[in-house]
Amino acid sequence: MRKPSPIPLELPQFAFSYAAAIEAGMTPERLRASDLSAPFVGVRTTGAPATRTERARALGMRLKDGQAISGLAAAELWGMRVPSRNRFNDNDVEILTKKSVSRVRIDGVVNRRIRDDLFRTSTLDNIPVVSPVLAMFTSAIYLAEEDVTVMLDAMLTASDVYRNLRFGSRPHLRPEQLPALVQTFRRMKGIDTVRAAIQLARPGVESPMETVLRLKLIAAELPEPVIQPVLILANGEEYRPDLGYPSANIYFDYDGEHHFVDQNTIDRDVQRDRELQDAGIRLVHVVKTDLNGRRFREIVRLTERHLARADAQK
């Protein structure tokens, strides 16, 4: 069997519209070849979409002006954390449409509408995607308070080490803008979750799991920890753990996968831990499996002991 001709270079290499493919010189016969999938009418992909973002990238190829990918897929495309329980299902892609534009009717696709003056989009991966703020507001109906807080913290951070975010500048939002945003979008579904999350959102965070850990400590009825407290090591180096209780001399770092696979990171962490131990500072390394059950209760009890000791010494 003859090998199918290559995809023209001017087309996006994962998803493209049927019309753009014809214009680029592909034939209808080539567009029916078995190496291409048709997840939506008028769209071809070089493999069957296996994730929500891939489905969104495919669907985005057939959207018109006044229509954009929204909800959880938009949040993922902007690099914000979506919890694993919301990773993928059959009805997982959503479109936001201006009220002045006709509604999109596609099986398995949610279509929501918004006033024209509130519609804000950008182009990501060659498709229209709602703004980060609208991505958060349109995701809130599917998420818990903790998850929305993570998204807000991501938009409030000025840190350039917060991974995966695709915002043009940081911070994307300032805390003083949040009340006005709630008023503007007060009629959107999920607004009560956003209101609750705003009370917990903080600037200065450097990773999504740092937010998760902070919220879990608060939910355990511990005082709110300081975000990125500054420690000065014996060698004069400044070090900022993720969270801490300076008055009790206990601090926390959430260690993602790179802390265990990058040798330079491993060496730096080990040396720093030695210096902190020499200074009598307790740094607790937290990993994903520490966030629930017995292991998290042990972290809470350890923190309570340090706080109680600090109170007794006052």
Side-chain angles (χ1 to χ4, degrees), residues 266-314:
I266 293 170
D267 292 345
R268 187 170 60 248
D269 287 350
V270 168
Q271 181 60 37
R272 185 186 297 122
D273 284 357
R274 290 171 181 164
E275 294 177 8
L276 291 171
Q277 287 174 357
D278 287 345
I281 295 171
R282 182 64 184 266
L283 178 65
V284 180
H285 290 276
V286 180
V287 296
K288 185 176 181 179
T289 49
D290 288 322
L291 293 177
N292 295 287
R294 176 183 58 80
R295 292 173 61 149
F296 186 69
R297 290 193 295 272
E298 290 174 353
I299 290 174
V300 171
R301 286 194 291 269
L302 172 65
T303 307
E304 289 173 337
R305 290 196 297 272
H306 276 260
L307 291 169
R309 192 178 305 132
D311 285 342
Q313 292 172 354
K314 288 181 180 178

mmCIF file of all heavy atoms in Angstrom, residues 266-314:
data_model
loop_
_atom_site.group_PDB
_atom_site.id
_atom_site.type_symbol
_atom_site.label_atom_id
_atom_site.label_comp_id
_atom_site.label_asym_id
_atom_site.label_seq_id
_atom_site.Cartn_x
_atom_site.Cartn_y
_atom_site.Cartn_z
ATOM 1 N N ILE A 266 19.139 17.682 43.485
ATOM 2 C CA ILE A 266 19.325 16.774 44.626
ATOM 3 C C ILE A 266 20.512 17.230 45.476
ATOM 4 O O ILE A 266 20.424 17.332 46.708
ATOM 5 C CB ILE A 266 19.536 15.327 44.134
ATOM 6 C CG1 ILE A 266 18.264 14.801 43.474
ATOM 7 C CG2 ILE A 266 19.931 14.421 45.292
ATOM 8 C CD1 ILE A 266 18.451 13.480 42.741
ATOM 9 N N ASP A 267 21.642 17.524 44.821
ATOM 10 C CA ASP A 267 22.839 17.943 45.559
ATOM 11 C C ASP A 267 22.584 19.243 46.318
ATOM 12 O O ASP A 267 23.001 19.390 47.485
ATOM 13 C CB ASP A 267 24.014 18.128 44.592
ATOM 14 C CG ASP A 267 24.482 16.821 43.979
ATOM 15 O OD1 ASP A 267 24.106 15.757 44.509
ATOM 16 O OD2 ASP A 267 25.209 16.872 42.973
ATOM 17 N N ARG A 268 21.923 20.185 45.682
ATOM 18 C CA ARG A 268 21.637 21.478 46.322
ATOM 19 C C ARG A 268 20.717 21.298 47.521
ATOM 20 O O ARG A 268 20.925 21.897 48.581
ATOM 21 C CB ARG A 268 21.024 22.431 45.305
ATOM 22 C CG ARG A 268 20.858 23.856 45.825
ATOM 23 C CD ARG A 268 20.481 24.813 44.716
ATOM 24 N NE ARG A 268 19.234 24.451 44.065
ATOM 25 C CZ ARG A 268 19.134 24.013 42.816
ATOM 26 N NH1 ARG A 268 20.212 23.834 42.075
ATOM 27 N NH2 ARG A 268 17.949 23.719 42.294
ATOM 28 N N ASP A 269 19.697 20.446 47.370
ATOM 29 C CA ASP A 269 18.758 20.203 48.472
ATOM 30 C C ASP A 269 19.472 19.568 49.671
ATOM 31 O O ASP A 269 19.237 19.953 50.826
ATOM 32 C CB ASP A 269 17.617 19.290 48.014
ATOM 33 C CG ASP A 269 16.630 19.993 47.098
ATOM 34 O OD1 ASP A 269 16.709 21.224 46.968
ATOM 35 O OD2 ASP A 269 15.770 19.292 46.517
ATOM 36 N N VAL A 270 20.346 18.585 49.415
ATOM 37 C CA VAL A 270 21.040 17.897 50.503
ATOM 38 C C VAL A 270 21.947 18.860 51.261
ATOM 39 O O VAL A 270 21.961 18.897 52.506
ATOM 40 C CB VAL A 270 21.851 16.703 49.958
ATOM 41 C CG1 VAL A 270 22.797 16.150 51.018
ATOM 42 C CG2 VAL A 270 20.914 15.605 49.457
ATOM 43 N N GLN A 271 22.709 19.665 50.531
ATOM 44 C CA GLN A 271 23.610 20.606 51.182
ATOM 45 C C GLN A 271 22.834 21.636 51.995
ATOM 46 O O GLN A 271 23.205 21.978 53.127
ATOM 47 C CB GLN A 271 24.479 21.305 50.132
ATOM 48 C CG GLN A 271 25.478 22.305 50.710
ATOM 49 C CD GLN A 271 26.451 21.655 51.685
ATOM 50 O OE1 GLN A 271 26.868 20.519 51.491
ATOM 51 N NE2 GLN A 271 26.807 22.387 52.751
ATOM 52 N N ARG A 272 21.742 22.128 51.436
ATOM 53 C CA ARG A 272 20.934 23.117 52.150
ATOM 54 C C ARG A 272 20.334 22.524 53.417
ATOM 55 O O ARG A 272 20.289 23.170 54.467
ATOM 56 C CB ARG A 272 19.833 23.659 51.234
ATOM 57 C CG ARG A 272 19.021 24.788 51.861
ATOM 58 C CD ARG A 272 17.868 25.190 50.979
ATOM 59 N NE ARG A 272 18.326 25.712 49.711
ATOM 60 C CZ ARG A 272 17.988 25.205 48.519
ATOM 61 N NH1 ARG A 272 17.201 24.137 48.460
ATOM 62 N NH2 ARG A 272 18.424 25.744 47.420
ATOM 63 N N ASP A 273 19.851 21.280 53.325
ATOM 64 C CA ASP A 273 19.282 20.626 54.513
ATOM 65 C C ASP A 273 20.309 20.528 55.634
ATOM 66 O O ASP A 273 19.972 20.719 56.816
ATOM 67 C CB ASP A 273 18.764 19.229 54.149
ATOM 68 C CG ASP A 273 17.456 19.270 53.388
ATOM 69 O OD1 ASP A 273 16.923 20.378 53.197
ATOM 70 O OD2 ASP A 273 16.973 18.200 52.983
ATOM 71 N N ARG A 274 21.546 20.234 55.292
ATOM 72 C CA ARG A 274 22.590 20.153 56.313
ATOM 73 C C ARG A 274 22.797 21.500 56.990
ATOM 74 O O ARG A 274 22.954 21.586 58.216
ATOM 75 C CB ARG A 274 23.898 19.668 55.685
ATOM 76 C CG ARG A 274 23.872 18.207 55.256
ATOM 77 C CD ARG A 274 25.100 17.859 54.455
ATOM 78 N NE ARG A 274 25.080 16.464 54.016
ATOM 79 C CZ ARG A 274 25.862 15.975 53.056
ATOM 80 N NH1 ARG A 274 26.734 16.777 52.440
ATOM 81 N NH2 ARG A 274 25.780 14.707 52.723
ATOM 82 N N GLU A 275 22.804 22.548 56.196
ATOM 83 C CA GLU A 275 23.001 23.884 56.758
ATOM 84 C C GLU A 275 21.832 24.281 57.651
ATOM 85 O O GLU A 275 22.029 24.903 58.707
ATOM 86 C CB GLU A 275 23.196 24.892 55.630
ATOM 87 C CG GLU A 275 24.483 24.673 54.839
ATOM 88 C CD GLU A 275 24.624 25.631 53.677
ATOM 89 O OE1 GLU A 275 23.802 26.562 53.570
ATOM 90 O OE2 GLU A 275 25.562 25.460 52.873
ATOM 91 N N LEU A 276 20.613 23.918 57.228
ATOM 92 C CA LEU A 276 19.443 24.235 58.059
ATOM 93 C C LEU A 276 19.472 23.461 59.372
ATOM 94 O O LEU A 276 19.137 23.989 60.437
ATOM 95 C CB LEU A 276 18.167 23.931 57.278
ATOM 96 C CG LEU A 276 17.877 24.848 56.076
ATOM 97 C CD1 LEU A 276 16.703 24.303 55.264
ATOM 98 C CD2 LEU A 276 17.587 26.273 56.519
ATOM 99 N N GLN A 277 19.874 22.192 59.299
ATOM 100 C CA GLN A 277 19.977 21.383 60.515
ATOM 101 C C GLN A 277 21.001 21.972 61.475
ATOM 102 O O GLN A 277 20.778 22.049 62.695
ATOM 103 C CB GLN A 277 20.345 19.943 60.159
ATOM 104 C CG GLN A 277 19.216 19.161 59.519
ATOM 105 C CD GLN A 277 19.670 17.783 59.059
ATOM 106 O OE1 GLN A 277 20.849 17.434 59.173
ATOM 107 N NE2 GLN A 277 18.740 16.991 58.549
ATOM 108 N N ASP A 278 22.140 22.415 60.933
ATOM 109 C CA ASP A 278 23.167 23.028 61.769
ATOM 110 C C ASP A 278 22.640 24.275 62.462
ATOM 111 O O ASP A 278 23.068 24.604 63.579
ATOM 112 C CB ASP A 278 24.399 23.390 60.934
ATOM 113 C CG ASP A 278 25.207 22.163 60.521
ATOM 114 O OD1 ASP A 278 24.981 21.090 61.120
ATOM 115 O OD2 ASP A 278 26.035 22.278 59.604
ATOM 116 N N ALA A 279 21.716 24.980 61.815
ATOM 117 C CA ALA A 279 21.150 26.212 62.379
ATOM 118 C C ALA A 279 19.949 25.931 63.274
ATOM 119 O O ALA A 279 19.344 26.868 63.804
ATOM 120 C CB ALA A 279 20.749 27.163 61.254
ATOM 121 N N GLY A 280 19.605 24.631 63.438
ATOM 122 C CA GLY A 280 18.471 24.288 64.295
ATOM 123 C C GLY A 280 17.120 24.571 63.686
ATOM 124 O O GLY A 280 16.123 24.734 64.397
ATOM 125 N N ILE A 281 17.071 24.634 62.361
ATOM 126 C CA ILE A 281 15.817 24.932 61.655
ATOM 127 C C ILE A 281 15.213 23.629 61.144
ATOM 128 O O ILE A 281 15.902 22.813 60.522
ATOM 129 C CB ILE A 281 16.074 25.895 60.477
ATOM 130 C CG1 ILE A 281 16.552 27.248 61.007
ATOM 131 C CG2 ILE A 281 14.814 26.065 59.628
ATOM 132 C CD1 ILE A 281 17.032 28.189 59.923
ATOM 133 N N ARG A 282 13.929 23.440 61.386
ATOM 134 C CA ARG A 282 13.238 22.227 60.929
ATOM 135 C C ARG A 282 12.579 22.500 59.577
ATOM 136 O O ARG A 282 11.671 23.331 59.461
ATOM 137 C CB ARG A 282 12.178 21.788 61.943
ATOM 138 C CG ARG A 282 11.441 20.505 61.551
ATOM 139 C CD ARG A 282 12.419 19.326 61.515
ATOM 140 N NE ARG A 282 11.809 18.105 61.059
ATOM 141 C CZ ARG A 282 11.279 17.173 61.870
ATOM 142 N NH1 ARG A 282 11.279 17.358 63.188
ATOM 143 N NH2 ARG A 282 10.776 16.070 61.380
ATOM 144 N N LEU A 283 13.075 21.815 58.535
ATOM 145 C CA LEU A 283 12.472 21.890 57.204
ATOM 146 C C LEU A 283 11.825 20.554 56.904
ATOM 147 O O LEU A 283 12.489 19.517 56.895
ATOM 148 C CB LEU A 283 13.526 22.209 56.138
ATOM 149 C CG LEU A 283 13.008 22.257 54.695
ATOM 150 C CD1 LEU A 283 12.014 23.409 54.499
ATOM 151 C CD2 LEU A 283 14.162 22.387 53.701
ATOM 152 N N VAL A 284 10.514 20.572 56.641
ATOM 153 C CA VAL A 284 9.762 19.357 56.352
ATOM 154 C C VAL A 284 9.576 19.256 54.840
ATOM 155 O O VAL A 284 8.969 20.139 54.225
ATOM 156 C CB VAL A 284 8.393 19.366 57.054
ATOM 157 C CG1 VAL A 284 7.615 18.085 56.732
ATOM 158 C CG2 VAL A 284 8.567 19.535 58.559
ATOM 159 N N HIS A 285 10.102 18.201 54.246
ATOM 160 C CA HIS A 285 9.894 17.956 52.817
ATOM 161 C C HIS A 285 8.571 17.197 52.646
ATOM 162 O O HIS A 285 8.373 16.149 53.255
ATOM 163 C CB HIS A 285 11.044 17.139 52.234
ATOM 164 C CG HIS A 285 12.329 17.903 52.149
ATOM 165 N ND1 HIS A 285 12.622 18.736 51.088
ATOM 166 C CD2 HIS A 285 13.382 17.985 53.005
ATOM 167 C CE1 HIS A 285 13.811 19.283 51.285
ATOM 168 N NE2 HIS A 285 14.289 18.845 52.439
ATOM 169 N N VAL A 286 7.699 17.734 51.807
ATOM 170 C CA VAL A 286 6.379 17.143 51.593
ATOM 171 C C VAL A 286 6.287 16.656 50.156
ATOM 172 O O VAL A 286 6.657 17.380 49.216
ATOM 173 C CB VAL A 286 5.260 18.163 51.874
ATOM 174 C CG1 VAL A 286 3.883 17.541 51.653
ATOM 175 C CG2 VAL A 286 5.378 18.713 53.293
ATOM 176 N N VAL A 287 5.814 15.422 49.976
ATOM 177 C CA VAL A 287 5.573 14.872 48.645
ATOM 178 C C VAL A 287 4.079 14.555 48.507
ATOM 179 O O VAL A 287 3.316 14.664 49.464
ATOM 180 C CB VAL A 287 6.427 13.614 48.388
ATOM 181 C CG1 VAL A 287 7.904 13.965 48.390
ATOM 182 C CG2 VAL A 287 6.138 12.539 49.428
ATOM 183 N N LYS A 288 3.692 14.181 47.316
ATOM 184 C CA LYS A 288 2.273 13.990 47.011
ATOM 185 C C LYS A 288 1.586 13.044 47.983
ATOM 186 O O LYS A 288 0.456 13.297 48.427
ATOM 187 C CB LYS A 288 2.127 13.483 45.574
ATOM 188 C CG LYS A 288 0.687 13.351 45.101
ATOM 189 C CD LYS A 288 0.644 12.930 43.638
ATOM 190 C CE LYS A 288 -0.794 12.816 43.145
ATOM 191 N NZ LYS A 288 -0.840 12.420 41.710
ATOM 192 N N THR A 289 2.248 11.943 48.337
ATOM 193 C CA THR A 289 1.616 10.952 49.207
ATOM 194 C C THR A 289 1.517 11.414 50.657
ATOM 195 O O THR A 289 0.908 10.725 51.477
ATOM 196 C CB THR A 289 2.395 9.620 49.152
ATOM 197 O OG1 THR A 289 3.792 9.882 49.331
ATOM 198 C CG2 THR A 289 2.180 8.933 47.811
ATOM 199 N N ASP A 290 2.098 12.584 50.975
ATOM 200 C CA ASP A 290 1.982 13.134 52.334
ATOM 201 C C ASP A 290 0.715 13.944 52.540
ATOM 202 O O ASP A 290 0.430 14.358 53.664
ATOM 203 C CB ASP A 290 3.170 14.054 52.639
ATOM 204 C CG ASP A 290 4.465 13.300 52.845
ATOM 205 O OD1 ASP A 290 4.415 12.213 53.450
ATOM 206 O OD2 ASP A 290 5.514 13.796 52.404
ATOM 207 N N LEU A 291 -0.038 14.186 51.481
ATOM 208 C CA LEU A 291 -1.107 15.175 51.558
ATOM 209 C C LEU A 291 -2.425 14.627 52.087
ATOM 210 O O LEU A 291 -3.379 15.395 52.261
ATOM 211 C CB LEU A 291 -1.336 15.803 50.173
ATOM 212 C CG LEU A 291 -0.175 16.667 49.662
ATOM 213 C CD1 LEU A 291 -0.476 17.176 48.271
ATOM 214 C CD2 LEU A 291 0.103 17.827 50.609
ATOM 215 N N ASN A 292 -2.507 13.343 52.346
ATOM 216 C CA ASN A 292 -3.759 12.758 52.826
ATOM 217 C C ASN A 292 -3.470 11.670 53.854
ATOM 218 O O ASN A 292 -2.354 11.154 53.943
ATOM 219 C CB ASN A 292 -4.561 12.154 51.658
ATOM 220 C CG ASN A 292 -5.017 13.199 50.669
ATOM 221 O OD1 ASN A 292 -5.919 13.972 50.959
ATOM 222 N ND2 ASN A 292 -4.394 13.226 49.500
ATOM 223 N N GLY A 293 -4.498 11.339 54.624
ATOM 224 C CA GLY A 293 -4.434 10.196 55.517
ATOM 225 C C GLY A 293 -3.449 10.343 56.649
ATOM 226 O O GLY A 293 -3.159 11.442 57.143
ATOM 227 N N ARG A 294 -2.902 9.209 57.090
ATOM 228 C CA ARG A 294 -2.039 9.152 58.259
ATOM 229 C C ARG A 294 -0.818 10.037 58.100
ATOM 230 O O ARG A 294 -0.420 10.722 59.054
ATOM 231 C CB ARG A 294 -1.593 7.706 58.504
ATOM 232 C CG ARG A 294 -0.607 7.530 59.661
ATOM 233 C CD ARG A 294 -0.154 6.099 59.791
ATOM 234 N NE ARG A 294 0.469 5.619 58.561
ATOM 235 C CZ ARG A 294 1.736 5.881 58.213
ATOM 236 N NH1 ARG A 294 2.500 6.644 58.980
ATOM 237 N NH2 ARG A 294 2.229 5.395 57.089
ATOM 238 N N ARG A 295 -0.219 10.067 56.934
ATOM 239 C CA ARG A 295 1.014 10.833 56.745
ATOM 240 C C ARG A 295 0.758 12.328 56.920
ATOM 241 O O ARG A 295 1.597 13.032 57.502
ATOM 242 C CB ARG A 295 1.623 10.523 55.381
ATOM 243 C CG ARG A 295 2.151 9.100 55.306
ATOM 244 C CD ARG A 295 2.615 8.713 53.927
ATOM 245 N NE ARG A 295 3.712 9.538 53.447
ATOM 246 C CZ ARG A 295 4.656 9.091 52.625
ATOM 247 N NH1 ARG A 295 4.642 7.832 52.206
ATOM 248 N NH2 ARG A 295 5.610 9.891 52.197
ATOM 249 N N PHE A 296 -0.369 12.802 56.448
ATOM 250 C CA PHE A 296 -0.651 14.226 56.641
ATOM 251 C C PHE A 296 -0.971 14.517 58.108
ATOM 252 O O PHE A 296 -0.566 15.561 58.646
ATOM 253 C CB PHE A 296 -1.803 14.689 55.750
ATOM 254 C CG PHE A 296 -2.014 16.180 55.820
ATOM 255 C CD1 PHE A 296 -1.081 17.046 55.285
ATOM 256 C CD2 PHE A 296 -3.130 16.707 56.455
ATOM 257 C CE1 PHE A 296 -1.256 18.429 55.365
ATOM 258 C CE2 PHE A 296 -3.312 18.076 56.543
ATOM 259 C CZ PHE A 296 -2.369 18.935 55.989
ATOM 260 N N ARG A 297 -1.675 13.604 58.774
ATOM 261 C CA ARG A 297 -1.953 13.815 60.201
ATOM 262 C C ARG A 297 -0.659 13.897 61.004
ATOM 263 O O ARG A 297 -0.565 14.672 61.967
ATOM 264 C CB ARG A 297 -2.854 12.696 60.725
ATOM 265 C CG ARG A 297 -4.287 12.757 60.183
ATOM 266 C CD ARG A 297 -5.216 11.848 60.957
ATOM 267 N NE ARG A 297 -4.874 10.436 60.812
ATOM 268 C CZ ARG A 297 -5.324 9.660 59.842
ATOM 269 N NH1 ARG A 297 -6.151 10.154 58.922
ATOM 270 N NH2 ARG A 297 -4.985 8.379 59.783
ATOM 271 N N GLU A 298 0.356 13.147 60.596
ATOM 272 C CA GLU A 298 1.648 13.217 61.279
ATOM 273 C C GLU A 298 2.291 14.598 61.080
ATOM 274 O O GLU A 298 2.896 15.149 62.013
ATOM 275 C CB GLU A 298 2.574 12.123 60.755
ATOM 276 C CG GLU A 298 2.153 10.718 61.181
ATOM 277 C CD GLU A 298 2.996 9.637 60.522
ATOM 278 O OE1 GLU A 298 3.818 9.990 59.635
ATOM 279 O OE2 GLU A 298 2.831 8.461 60.873
ATOM 280 N N ILE A 299 2.165 15.147 59.874
ATOM 281 C CA ILE A 299 2.691 16.494 59.620
ATOM 282 C C ILE A 299 1.969 17.516 60.483
ATOM 283 O O ILE A 299 2.588 18.432 61.056
ATOM 284 C CB ILE A 299 2.569 16.836 58.120
ATOM 285 C CG1 ILE A 299 3.551 16.002 57.311
ATOM 286 C CG2 ILE A 299 2.796 18.333 57.884
ATOM 287 C CD1 ILE A 299 3.410 16.156 55.811
ATOM 288 N N VAL A 300 0.652 17.373 60.591
ATOM 289 C CA VAL A 300 -0.133 18.301 61.422
ATOM 290 C C VAL A 300 0.305 18.202 62.876
ATOM 291 O O VAL A 300 0.519 19.231 63.548
ATOM 292 C CB VAL A 300 -1.636 18.007 61.281
ATOM 293 C CG1 VAL A 300 -2.450 18.823 62.302
ATOM 294 C CG2 VAL A 300 -2.104 18.329 59.858
ATOM 295 N N ARG A 301 0.467 16.989 63.393
ATOM 296 C CA ARG A 301 0.872 16.829 64.795
ATOM 297 C C ARG A 301 2.271 17.408 65.037
ATOM 298 O O ARG A 301 2.532 18.039 66.067
ATOM 299 C CB ARG A 301 0.812 15.351 65.192
ATOM 300 C CG ARG A 301 -0.613 14.832 65.386
ATOM 301 C CD ARG A 301 -0.606 13.488 66.103
ATOM 302 N NE ARG A 301 -0.051 12.430 65.267
ATOM 303 C CZ ARG A 301 -0.788 11.664 64.465
ATOM 304 N NH1 ARG A 301 -2.107 11.844 64.393
ATOM 305 N NH2 ARG A 301 -0.228 10.696 63.752
ATOM 306 N N LEU A 302 3.182 17.184 64.102
ATOM 307 C CA LEU A 302 4.526 17.750 64.219
ATOM 308 C C LEU A 302 4.460 19.276 64.285
ATOM 309 O O LEU A 302 5.127 19.911 65.116
ATOM 310 C CB LEU A 302 5.373 17.307 63.023
ATOM 311 C CG LEU A 302 6.757 17.959 62.888
ATOM 312 C CD1 LEU A 302 7.643 17.566 64.060
ATOM 313 C CD2 LEU A 302 7.395 17.572 61.555
ATOM 314 N N THR A 303 3.647 19.863 63.410
ATOM 315 C CA THR A 303 3.512 21.318 63.392
ATOM 316 C C THR A 303 2.896 21.825 64.689
ATOM 317 O O THR A 303 3.352 22.841 65.249
ATOM 318 C CB THR A 303 2.650 21.748 62.189
ATOM 319 O OG1 THR A 303 3.186 21.182 60.985
ATOM 320 C CG2 THR A 303 2.612 23.259 62.059
ATOM 321 N N GLU A 304 1.890 21.140 65.175
ATOM 322 C CA GLU A 304 1.257 21.541 66.439
ATOM 323 C C GLU A 304 2.262 21.530 67.586
ATOM 324 O O GLU A 304 2.239 22.431 68.446
ATOM 325 C CB GLU A 304 0.079 20.608 66.746
ATOM 326 C CG GLU A 304 -1.120 20.820 65.820
ATOM 327 C CD GLU A 304 -2.199 19.777 66.025
ATOM 328 O OE1 GLU A 304 -1.885 18.671 66.537
ATOM 329 O OE2 GLU A 304 -3.357 20.058 65.660
ATOM 330 N N ARG A 305 3.154 20.528 67.611
ATOM 331 C CA ARG A 305 4.160 20.471 68.676
ATOM 332 C C ARG A 305 5.112 21.665 68.610
ATOM 333 O O ARG A 305 5.456 22.267 69.635
ATOM 334 C CB ARG A 305 4.948 19.151 68.598
ATOM 335 C CG ARG A 305 4.139 17.925 68.988
ATOM 336 C CD ARG A 305 5.040 16.733 69.268
ATOM 337 N NE ARG A 305 5.798 16.302 68.110
ATOM 338 C CZ ARG A 305 5.359 15.425 67.199
ATOM 339 N NH1 ARG A 305 4.130 14.897 67.329
ATOM 340 N NH2 ARG A 305 6.119 15.062 66.193
ATOM 341 N N HIS A 306 5.535 22.009 67.407
ATOM 342 C CA HIS A 306 6.427 23.164 67.248
ATOM 343 C C HIS A 306 5.720 24.458 67.647
ATOM 344 O O HIS A 306 6.327 25.319 68.309
ATOM 345 C CB HIS A 306 6.915 23.245 65.801
ATOM 346 C CG HIS A 306 8.110 22.384 65.511
ATOM 347 N ND1 HIS A 306 9.388 22.876 65.465
ATOM 348 C CD2 HIS A 306 8.205 21.052 65.276
ATOM 349 C CE1 HIS A 306 10.228 21.886 65.204
ATOM 350 N NE2 HIS A 306 9.533 20.770 65.069
ATOM 351 N N LEU A 307 4.467 24.611 67.249
ATOM 352 C CA LEU A 307 3.725 25.820 67.603
ATOM 353 C C LEU A 307 3.514 25.910 69.111
ATOM 354 O O LEU A 307 3.648 26.983 69.711
ATOM 355 C CB LEU A 307 2.376 25.838 66.867
ATOM 356 C CG LEU A 307 2.449 26.030 65.341
ATOM 357 C CD1 LEU A 307 1.083 25.760 64.713
ATOM 358 C CD2 LEU A 307 2.919 27.446 64.992
ATOM 359 N N ALA A 308 3.182 24.768 69.735
ATOM 360 C CA ALA A 308 2.975 24.758 71.179
ATOM 361 C C ALA A 308 4.265 25.085 71.923
ATOM 362 O O ALA A 308 4.259 25.828 72.920
ATOM 363 C CB ALA A 308 2.440 23.387 71.616
ATOM 364 N N ARG A 309 5.392 24.553 71.461
ATOM 365 C CA ARG A 309 6.681 24.834 72.086
ATOM 366 C C ARG A 309 7.013 26.316 71.977
ATOM 367 O O ARG A 309 7.508 26.921 72.937
ATOM 368 C CB ARG A 309 7.751 23.983 71.430
ATOM 369 C CG ARG A 309 9.083 23.947 72.164
ATOM 370 C CD ARG A 309 10.066 23.046 71.452
ATOM 371 N NE ARG A 309 9.505 21.704 71.274
ATOM 372 C CZ ARG A 309 9.539 21.048 70.129
ATOM 373 N NH1 ARG A 309 10.060 21.588 69.050
ATOM 374 N NH2 ARG A 309 9.033 19.832 70.056
ATOM 375 N N ALA A 310 6.730 26.890 70.812
ATOM 376 C CA ALA A 310 7.008 28.330 70.623
ATOM 377 C C ALA A 310 6.129 29.177 71.528
ATOM 378 O O ALA A 310 6.595 30.161 72.116
ATOM 379 C CB ALA A 310 6.775 28.709 69.165
ATOM 380 N N ASP A 311 4.868 28.787 71.691
ATOM 381 C CA ASP A 311 3.964 29.531 72.578
ATOM 382 C C ASP A 311 4.445 29.434 74.042
ATOM 383 O O ASP A 311 4.375 30.414 74.790
ATOM 384 C CB ASP A 311 2.549 28.976 72.476
ATOM 385 C CG ASP A 311 1.852 29.387 71.184
ATOM 386 O OD1 ASP A 311 2.332 30.367 70.551
ATOM 387 O OD2 ASP A 311 0.857 28.739 70.808
ATOM 388 N N ALA A 312 4.932 28.261 74.432
ATOM 389 C CA ALA A 312 5.380 28.062 75.816
ATOM 390 C C ALA A 312 6.619 28.881 76.140
ATOM 391 O O ALA A 312 6.866 29.230 77.297
ATOM 392 C CB ALA A 312 5.647 26.586 76.061
ATOM 393 N N GLN A 313 7.410 29.204 75.097
ATOM 394 C CA GLN A 313 8.643 29.940 75.335
ATOM 395 C C GLN A 313 8.462 31.454 75.301
ATOM 396 O O GLN A 313 9.406 32.190 75.557
ATOM 397 C CB GLN A 313 9.675 29.526 74.260
ATOM 398 C CG GLN A 313 10.151 28.095 74.408
ATOM 399 C CD GLN A 313 11.010 27.634 73.254
ATOM 400 O OE1 GLN A 313 11.175 28.348 72.262
ATOM 401 N NE2 GLN A 313 11.604 26.433 73.366
ATOM 402 N N LYS A 314 7.242 31.874 74.988
ATOM 403 C CA LYS A 314 6.988 33.324 74.942
ATOM 404 C C LYS A 314 7.004 33.929 76.339
ATOM 405 O O LYS A 314 6.578 33.323 77.295
ATOM 406 C CB LYS A 314 5.635 33.588 74.262
ATOM 407 C CG LYS A 314 5.671 33.338 72.756
ATOM 408 C CD LYS A 314 4.336 33.644 72.140
ATOM 409 C CE LYS A 314 4.330 33.409 70.638
ATOM 410 N NZ LYS A 314 3.001 33.654 70.031
#
